[in-house]
Each structure stands twice: as C-alpha cells, then as structure tokens.
Amino acid sequence: MSELIWLIPITPLLSSVVLMLLAGKFPRALIAVLGSGSVGISALVTLFFAIGFLSNPEPVQITYWTWMQVGNFAPTVAFYLDGLTLVMMSVITGVGFLIHLFSTEFMEDDVSYARYFAYLNMFVAAMLILVMADNLLLLYLGWEGVGVCSYLLVGFWYQNPSNGQAARKAFIVTRIGDTAMALGLFLLFSELGTLDIQAMGEAAKTNWVIGDTMPVIACLLLLGGAVGKSAQLPLQTWLPDAMAGPTPVSALIHAATMVTAGVYLIARTHELFLFAPPAMMAVAIVGLATSLMAAFTAMTQHDIKRILAYSTISQIGYMFLALGVGAWAAGILHLMTHAFFKALLFLGSGAIIHCLHHEHDIFKMGGLRTRVPVIFWSFMIGSAALAALPFTSGFFSKDQILLNAYLMPGVGPWLWFGGLVGALLTAIYSFRLVFVVFFGEANTEPDKAPGKRMAIPLIVLCILALVGGVFTIPVAQVFPDVGEQHPAMWVEMVSIAVPLIGVGIAYLIFLSKQLNVDGLVNSPVGKGLKRFWFSHWGMDWLYDHLFVKPYYGISAMLSSEPIDGVYNLIVSINQKLNEWLSQSQTGRMRGYIASMVFGLIFVMALSLGVL
C-alpha cells in the first residue's frame, strides 16, 4: 500500500486546482462531489495504509526526487510515515472528510461554492504535506501553505471589511512565529548539517549535550513557530478573530488542521527537545498559562463560536503542557480526541447558526433541546468530552495529561493544580453553553432543521467523541518509554471529581438558578474582572498600542518621504511620454508611411557614418 501514499495529499490538491480553473463550468452537485469526494479518497487510502501499518508497525520512508542541490544541502521531496504520522493523517482526512460533507449542505446557498471547496481542499493538502514530510524544509512548505489557506478561508466573505482585517491579522501574527521557526531551521542546519528529521535526531546525539545553550536556543525558536500556529501565548490573539470565516472552516482550523501543527512540530522534534530541558519547561509553562487565560476568557463570552475558539486555545494549552512534561503520547492522544469533540461542537454550532437565522448570541437562543434534538445531543456529548467527564474521549486523554504533570519532579504538583483549575473552568463554561442554548425559554425559533448531509457527520462525531479515548494510538515506537508510574489514588480521584464539580456549579447557576452570583458579578470588582477577561486580558489593546498604532503612525509619517518624489517624477515622465506617443496615433496612413521613411533614412545615415 505504501506505493499509493502519494495519493493522500495529491488527490485534494488536484481537486483544488480543478475547482479553481474549471469551477464555472461545473454544476453544484459535481462541485460537492469533487470537494468532499477527494478528501474521502484520501481518508480511504489512509485507512488501508493504517490496516497494513498496524499489522507491521515499521516506519516507511519514500523518496520521490531531490528538491534542490546547494553544496551539502540536498533536501528531498520525501515522506516519512510512522505511528505519529498515521495518527495525524487519520485525523486530517477522517475528520476533514466529515467537515467537507457537512459543508456541502451548509454552504450550498453561497455564490462562491466552488471557491470555498477549492480553498478547503488546498488546506487539507497543505496539512497532509506538513505531517508527512521527512524533512523540516518540506514540512515548512506545508506549514506556510496552511498559513496561506487560513488567510483565504478566514477572509472568505471578503465583502465585509472586518473579515479581511481578521484574515490579515491571522496571517501577520502567525508570520511572527514562522520567522522564529525559519531562524530555528537555519540554526539547526548550521549545527547538525541536515534538516532530515530522523538524521537530526542522530546528529544531536553526537553533537549536543543535554542542557547546552545551542539546543535550548534552537528549540525555543521552534517553540516560537509552534505558539504562532497553535495560538498559544503570546501569539494567540489571531484565533478568536478567525471566527469570521464560515463555521466549517472554524471546525477544520480548530480540529484537523492549523492549530494542531504546532503540537505536531514539537512532538515530531521531541528528540531535539530532550536535549533542552529549559525549552521543555517553557513549553509546559506556556501551555498552562495559555490554558488558564483562555478558560477565564471563555467564561465571559456571548458569541457561541468565540466561546469554542477560546476553548480551543485552552485545550491546545493542555497538549503543550503534556509535551512539556514529557507525556508525548498523552499529548497526541488529546490532540486526536480534541479533534473529535471540537469538530462536533463547531459543526453543531454551525447547525444552530444555520437554523436560527445566523444568530450567534447564546442569550438570544434557548429552549432548543426539543426543537433540534440531533444538535442538542451533539452538544451534550461534545461538551461532556470537552469537560472530560468520565467515560468520554476527553476524559481518557486529559486525565493522562494531569497525572503525568503531577509526576514531574519539582513543579509537578503545581502544574497539576493549574491544570485542575483549567478543568474546572472548562466544565463550567461548557455546560453554561449547553444550559443557556438548549434549556430555558426559547428566544429565537428555528426556521429549518439540519438535513442528512449535516446530521450524518454530527452522528459519526458523537460516536467518536464518546469512544475515541479507548483507541490505542500506535506511537510507542516513536516516543521514549516513560514507564508505568502512577500517583497516589487521591490524585486521580481529585482529577476525576473536579470536572463533575464544574458541571454541578454550571447547573446551579445557569439552569436551576439555585446559586445566585449576580451580586458578585455586578460588584465593582466583578464588573472589572468580567471586562478584563472579556477583552482577552487586554492583549489586543496592548498589541494595538505597542505595535499596530505606532506602525500606522510611522507609515503616515513616511508617506511623504522625499525619495518618493524621485519615483513620482519617473512616473510623471513616463505618463507624459505615453501621452505624446498616443497623440501620434492618428489613424492616417500617409503619416505612418512618412514616419517610416524618415526613420529609415535616419537609420541608414547612422550606419553610413553621415551622422
């Protein structure tokens, strides 16, 4: 099956090109088949490869050609497939196909139906190239491709200027991290002499010593790239604004592509991070801080998609925490389970918006439990998994992360406690969303129900969100063995109890109303905290005043720079010459013949030396 691996990224890529070039000639039904079917083919090929790989779990490396040759630098276009790659490919193609299928109904009234699927297919293809690459340069190509596609999809409805602004913000902020990553690649090549991922691990064992300065700097630069793509502190501000795109795009960005890229980068280069304990600690601290910040912010939001966006930032923070404490397998397991329940929640929110006249404010909804039961159960199951309630997929992965954090020497109990606070907040805002939207008094009546193409992906994702945590991911040969350590029983019991307590608090406040917190919320301190958290801890305000406004000010100051006068003079001269030449075109044949004769005489005179 390995000889057909190239079909996995090339099929959606070809579909994207065809839709771009010939979309105007295709009916909508054919566009839907091409857009979703191409990803479906990739998912089937991935499934067949997975079956073969699980029976013989040996890594596969396939080289197609040498990309370039510059001295000793000869990167190839090649794929490296192991258990980690297989997990990522399965998530990208499997969840990606369900999102495409959902989109065929969600977007069917949009005038840019073909353009939408062209961008979506390209997004999937770029992410597949990123995770399948056997060297960091090819990975970087997919990395940048994902960034371009996110810009196109976030600003898909470009007629609204605010959508274009959100797309530019996503593109520019992630470019900051990409610059750090590019510097990291330069440093790694100069130090290790290669960008081939497997060869780098071997070279690091020869050239580096644990705790040396150079591996710490290189890994911190890679971390810079990861925090940009995965929306972690301090580059997380782009992700909530990225909700300007269509809701299925949000599901794809948050569940199967884009934000998981940074997690994958750190996991794939884990052999380098093992030589840099300070960098690993930085990964853990960034993840925990981001998780708590985003969880507090999600508690105050009204827009259903922004609540889920901050939830994603928080859950990616848990994955970073896992990677930082060396719980590599737990982090990747949470990446997979998060893809299931977060795709479910985003598609469920899209179905709500689709059925409620494009309403986004949760406090203008209510009472939807009996009106749209498929969406209700989707949110119940998705929120239970997000809150890590027992026996859901999120429980198995998040519980492993918290227990591994506790076992970390020194700061482990503090990391565990911080993770518990995040788990409590997650349970509260998750079921705040459920109780406000689906219970109580109806404020907006749905005018339609989701069709089969929207309902089927929701049902499949419901099943995966429930049982996905029991899957054994084949990464044992990828990551070092961390042993079978277990903390005290009380630690595990507390980890299980905290999300249940959070659900109980949400029930008492938002459904039964037995716990009245209005006095606390409306106090001066409460109002101040709510405004502060609602504004994402003032991060956008801070960046606007530190970077955006000074940049615009400098641009305005330099708009009349003297050097521009030179360029403007050249433009004016060319415009005047063009005007004179245009006047010479009179349309009279005699004038043209006369000018040709005089020109011929002039050229002959020059050649004979008369002039």
Side-chain angles (χ1 to χ4, degrees):
M1 198 64 204
S2 59
E3 62 272 10
L4 297 180
I5 290 298
W6 59 273
L7 283 174
I8 297 175
I10 205 67
T11 305
L13 183 60
L14 285 176
S15 172
S16 175
V17 173
V18 169
L19 288 172
M20 287 181 189
L21 297 178
L22 303 174
K25 301 179 181 179
F26 291 161
R28 284 183 174 254
L30 181 56
I31 293 171
V33 170
L34 271 175
S36 59
S38 60
V39 181
I41 292 172
S42 296
L44 285 175
V45 177
T46 301
L47 175 62
F48 288 132
F49 173 75
I51 294 171
F53 180 85
L54 293 176
S55 62
N56 181 28
E58 292 297 325
V60 177
Q61 186 171 20
I62 306 171
T63 302
Y64 293 101
W65 65 83
T66 299
W67 187 354
M68 64 184 78
Q69 178 79 49
V70 182
N72 295 327
F73 183 55
T76 58
V77 174
F79 296 146
Y80 182 82
L81 308 173
D82 59 4
L84 175 58
T85 313
L86 178 60
V87 172
M88 297 299 298
M89 289 163 54
S90 301
V91 168
I92 295 165
T93 58
V95 176
F97 170 69
L98 295 174
I99 294 169
H100 277 71
L101 179 59
F102 184 95
S103 297
T104 59
E105 181 180 338
F106 185 87
M107 296 293 292
E108 64 183 352
D109 295 330
D110 198 281
V111 294
S112 299
Y113 197 59
R115 179 167 63 90
Y116 172 81
F117 278 104
Y119 293 167
L120 216 61
N121 284 173
M122 191 191 304
F123 206 170
V124 170
M127 190 67 189
L128 285 169
I129 291 172
L130 189 159
V131 301
M132 295 170 68
D134 88 323
N135 63 81
L136 289 181
L137 187 64
L138 185 60
L139 183 151
Y140 195 72
L141 176 67
W143 187 275
E144 292 301 317
V146 167
V148 171
C149 293
S150 69
Y151 168 80
L152 295 172
L153 285 165
V154 170
F156 179 77
W157 289 315
Y158 58 85
Q159 297 87 348
N160 187 338
S162 63
N163 294 345
Q165 184 177 359
R168 290 192 297 275
K169 182 177 181 179
F171 191 77
I172 292 169
V173 172
T174 54
R175 290 293 76 71
I176 298 170
D178 295 353
T179 302
M181 181 179 171
L183 294 173
L185 299 191
F186 288 130
L187 180 59
L188 286 171
F189 181 75
S190 66
E191 284 292 308
L192 303 178
T194 181
L195 290 180
D196 292 346
I197 297 172
Q198 306 308 312
M200 284 171 52
E202 296 300 320
K205 295 174 184 176
T206 304
N207 296 284
W208 285 352
V209 175
I210 294 177
D212 276 356
T213 303
M214 204 54 67
V216 171
I217 295 174
C219 290
L220 288 176
L221 289 171
L222 292 180
L223 174 60
V227 299
K229 274 290 186 289
S230 290
Q232 299 291 285
L233 278 168
L235 301 179
Q236 82 288 0
T237 56
W238 66 269
L239 190 58
D241 291 348
M243 298 303 96
T247 305
V249 170
S250 303
L252 193 63
I253 290 176
H254 290 247
T257 62
M258 191 71 172
V259 296
T260 60
V263 178
Y264 172 78
L265 174 67
I266 296 175
R268 175 54 74 196
T269 57
H270 70 277
E271 291 182 316
L272 306 183
F273 276 85
L274 289 174
F275 284 91
M280 285 189 63
M281 179 56 67
V283 172
I285 293 173
V286 165
L288 181 59
T290 307
S291 180
L292 292 173
M293 171 183 280
F296 277 108
T297 305
M299 294 273 292
T300 63
Q301 301 298 309
H302 297 172
D303 186 303
I304 188 169
K305 288 178 64 176
R306 289 183 75 87
I307 294 171
L308 296 177
Y310 285 111
S311 167
T312 296
I313 297 173
S314 181
Q315 295 305 304
I316 298 292
Y318 275 103
M319 299 175 207
F320 270 62
L321 173 62
L323 301 177
V325 299
W328 312 102
I332 297 303
L333 178 62
H334 196 56
L335 184 153
M336 182 183 73
T337 59
H338 175 263
F340 298 151
F341 61 73
K342 189 50 62 69
L344 175 61
L345 288 169
F346 262 111
L347 294 185
S349 71
I352 292 174
I353 294 166
H354 186 72
C355 298
L356 289 187
H357 321 284
H358 302 284
E359 181 59 66
H360 285 237
D361 191 335
I362 62 172
F363 292 104
K364 294 181 180 178
M365 299 176 186
L368 295 177
R369 177 170 52 90
T370 57
R371 292 169 175 80
V372 281
V374 172
I375 304 176
F376 166 67
W377 285 110
S378 298
F379 257 84
M380 280 295 290
I381 293 171
S383 297
L386 172 60
L389 298 188
F391 309 113
T392 63
S393 63
F395 165 75
F396 292 101
S397 55
K398 189 180 287 186
D399 193 54
Q400 286 187 31
I401 294 173
L402 291 175
L403 297 182
N404 277 278
Y406 184 87
L407 292 170
M408 187 175 183
V411 296
W414 292 104
L415 296 176
W416 171 74
F417 178 75
L420 283 182
V421 174
L424 178 68
L425 297 174
T426 301
I428 294 173
Y429 71 68
S430 299
F431 279 85
R432 165 185 180 257
L433 183 58
V434 170
F435 295 143
V436 170
V437 171
F438 294 98
F439 292 84
E441 186 177 336
N443 295 310
T444 305
E445 288 292 334
D447 62 347
K448 64 183 79 171
K452 290 182 179 179
R453 286 174 291 163
M454 293 173 67
I456 290 174
L458 292 175
I459 294 170
V460 174
L461 287 168
C462 280
I463 297 170
L464 291 173
L466 282 174
V467 305
V470 302
F471 297 157
T472 300
I473 56 175
V475 296
Q477 294 181 336
V478 180
F479 301 121
D481 185 13
V482 295
E484 291 292 330
Q485 295 178 300
H486 295 283
M489 181 62 70
W490 71 268
V491 175
E492 189 160 1
M493 291 297 101
V494 171
S495 300
I496 294 173
V498 164
L500 296 172
I501 294 171
V503 175
I505 293 173
Y507 172 81
L508 293 174
I509 295 175
F510 300 106
L511 188 57
S512 70
K513 311 292 185 182
Q514 295 176 13
L515 182 60
N516 191 337
V517 295
D518 290 344
L520 181 62
V521 172
N522 294 324
S523 67
V525 175
K527 287 181 179 179
L529 283 176
K530 184 177 180 181
R531 283 195 302 270
F532 183 59
W533 292 340
F534 184 84
S535 68
H536 196 180
W537 297 53
M539 294 288 287
D540 282 313
W541 179 90
L542 179 64
Y543 289 169
D544 281 344
H545 285 76
L546 282 181
F547 305 112
V548 179
K549 289 183 178 179
Y551 177 81
Y552 281 134
I554 293 172
S555 299
M557 184 176 63
L558 296 178
S559 62
S560 58
E561 190 178 12
I563 191 67
D564 287 341
V566 177
Y567 300 135
N568 292 335
L569 177 62
I570 295 172
V571 172
S572 299
I573 291 172
N574 281 280
Q575 288 176 336
K576 181 57 70 176
L577 289 174
N578 178 71
E579 181 184 341
W580 290 344
L581 290 172
S582 298
Q583 292 174 356
S584 70
Q585 303 302 306
T586 61
R588 295 179 179 178
M589 186 63 69
R590 286 179 297 176
Y592 294 161
I593 294 173
S595 64
M596 290 172 63
V597 170
F598 282 119
L600 181 60
I601 293 172
F602 180 75
V603 171
M604 291 178 64
L606 284 176
S607 62
L608 294 173
V610 176
L611 295 179

